[in-house]
Amino acid sequence: YGIRAANGVVLVTTKKGAAGKTRVDYNGFGGFQTVTNQVEMASARKYALMINERLGSNVVGAYPNTDWYNEILRKPAYVHNHQLAVSGGTEKVTYNVSFGYLKQEGIVKKNDFERITGRLQNDLKLNDHLKIGFNGIITNSFSTDIPGNIFNQAYVAPPIIPVRGADGRYGDPANFNVGNFPNPVATLDWYNQRSRNLNLIGSVYGEVKFLKDFT
């Protein structure tokens, strides 16, 4: 509003039911996400050459060629959303009830988000001068979280470290004499944090009309 609203004002209103036959609406979509412009990391051979040059020796030989970004990323990550609404009413009572579901996979493995939404809107006309109504929205969301530094771990972890060794254990950078680095896949597998949020928002209103031109 005001002088900053150079392009006008946008008002967002809540969908309401209308008198008449019951109406059922469905809206949904599906899609996917994927990483673009992924950082190109050094191959195990190039990495070994640089380490050998720095150390002035040949301590690094032939090892697995691990691309840690490929190990932690989903390609692709899917998302789908569904919305179902039922509305209708009479001249005195109108309603709009809707339910929504969203499932989104993160671009990092194990990272998921789900949201369930319910909404109820109801208007009641008591007489020609008085109308009341309420609107309520409940949202319940769940997420499987990931470490905040997982991308940095994938960026610095040497490509000569295997994800797992022949014995099935996670590859340990400490065994390769290249420095102290984490194993990003082990970090993801052992990280166990889940979040849940429950939100309830409601409002009630009343409308009075009098003297013909006043509301």
Side-chain angles (χ1 to χ4, degrees), residues 85-160:
V86 181
S87 61
T90 65
E91 291 297 329
K92 290 187 175 294
V93 180
T94 60
Y95 64 89
N96 187 304
V97 183
S98 65
F99 302 93
Y101 176 74
L102 169 69
K103 174 64 181 294
Q104 182 175 9
E105 294 181 340
I107 60 172
V108 176
K109 294 175 181 177
K110 295 185 65 178
N111 186 209
D112 297 296
F113 177 79
E114 283 185 279
R115 184 181 66 218
I116 301 171
T117 305
R119 186 176 73 84
L120 173 61
Q121 184 277 327
N122 188 226
D123 288 326
L124 175 62
K125 184 178 180 181
L126 299 178
N127 52 50
D128 292 339
H129 304 285
L130 180 61
K131 183 169 69 172
I132 60 175
F134 69 89
N135 183 60
I137 302 175
I138 185 170
T139 303
N140 200 7
S141 62
F142 314 83
S143 65
T144 304
D145 306 321
I146 57 174
N149 65 342
I150 192 63
F151 283 101
N152 182 66
Q153 289 191 19
Y155 183 74
V156 301
I160 62 173

Side-chain angles (χ1 to χ4, degrees), residues 69-80:
Y69 278 117
N70 288 338
E71 295 296 332
I72 69 167
L73 294 177
R74 276 195 183 112
K75 298 181 180 179
Y78 294 101
V79 57
H80 57 94

